[in-house]
Amino acid sequence: MRRTCLPLFLCLVATNAAAQAAPAREHFAPPGWEGSYHGLHYTPVLRIGDRVIVSGIPASEGETDEAKIRWAFQQLKAHLEKAGATMEDVVELQSFHVSRDHDDFRKRVEPVLKVHREFFKDHYPAWTAVGTTALFSKDAPMEIRAEAIVGSGAKARASIPVPAAK
């Protein structure tokens, strides 16, 4: 009897410990984004422990591409704040840009670089920019998604030397 109970007991203890160690999964939506969760069935902002994942935000509000891109970065900031993170906590960005070819892609990234510099003054996140033929939001020139680690921006440091001028 003892031989059978001990493995079962250890299995139950291990299962309980694993369940307690797993961080909670919290879903958030800033004001105006609730339809994403209830209508489109995706979470605008997901927090798991200290990790925050922001779903793609289309650059869709504004008169110019630069204004639309700035609006998307402002929305990113609001999304992060909803989950307790800041722009300084962003560790990774991914951006998707509507473009015809490589030259068009490089042209379309220029206003993104300008706006990016306004929001990320130092301690830049990792960033992957991808060209594509279409986005879910028809008139958006780009879409941005991000991941953040809450509190990581407070102690950010970089030991990367400035390259010598050529």
Side-chain angles (χ1 to χ4, degrees):
M1 178 85 168
R2 272 194 138 169
R3 287 184 184 196
T4 323
C5 291
L6 184 59
L8 179 60
F9 172 75
L10 292 175
C11 186
L12 290 172
V13 169
T15 302
N16 189 32
Q20 289 177 359
R25 191 163 122 170
E26 300 174 89
H27 300 260
F28 299 97
W33 290 86
E34 300 87 351
S36 300
Y37 188 79
H38 296 289
L40 296 174
H41 296 186
Y42 78 88
T43 299
V45 185
L46 185 65
R47 181 172 174 164
I48 306 119
D50 289 338
R51 183 178 178 203
V52 175
I53 303 167
V54 178
S55 293
I57 299 170
S60 58
E61 300 288 328
E63 295 299 315
T64 65
D65 281 358
E66 184 177 320
K68 289 177 179 183
I69 292 162
R70 186 169 288 106
W71 180 85
F73 274 84
Q74 290 164 343
Q75 291 301 304
L76 173 58
K77 185 177 182 208
H79 280 62
L80 290 164
E81 288 171 355
K82 192 74 176 169
T86 66
M87 292 295 275
E88 291 79 20
D89 294 330
V90 173
V91 295
E92 183 181 17
L93 290 174
Q94 290 179 337
S95 57
F96 305 89
H97 309 265
V98 177
S99 57
R100 294 183 306 277
D101 54 35
H102 185 262
D103 291 336
D104 187 45
F105 174 80
R106 294 298 296 234
K107 181 180 127 199
R108 290 181 172 270
V109 168
E110 285 304 316
V112 179
L113 292 170
K114 179 180 179 185
V115 173
H116 180 278
R117 288 180 186 106
E118 294 172 18
F119 285 85
F120 297 103
K121 305 225 185 277
D122 59 8
H123 303 109
Y124 319 114
W127 183 11
T128 302
V130 178
T132 185
T133 57
L135 297 170
F136 186 77
S137 296
K138 184 180 178 195
D139 294 325
M142 62 91 69
E143 188 170 301
I144 191 163
R145 72 168 302 278
E147 292 199 30
I149 306 296
V150 176
S152 68
K155 296 182 181 179
R157 56 190 163 103
S159 303
I160 302 171
V162 177
K166 292 184 179 184

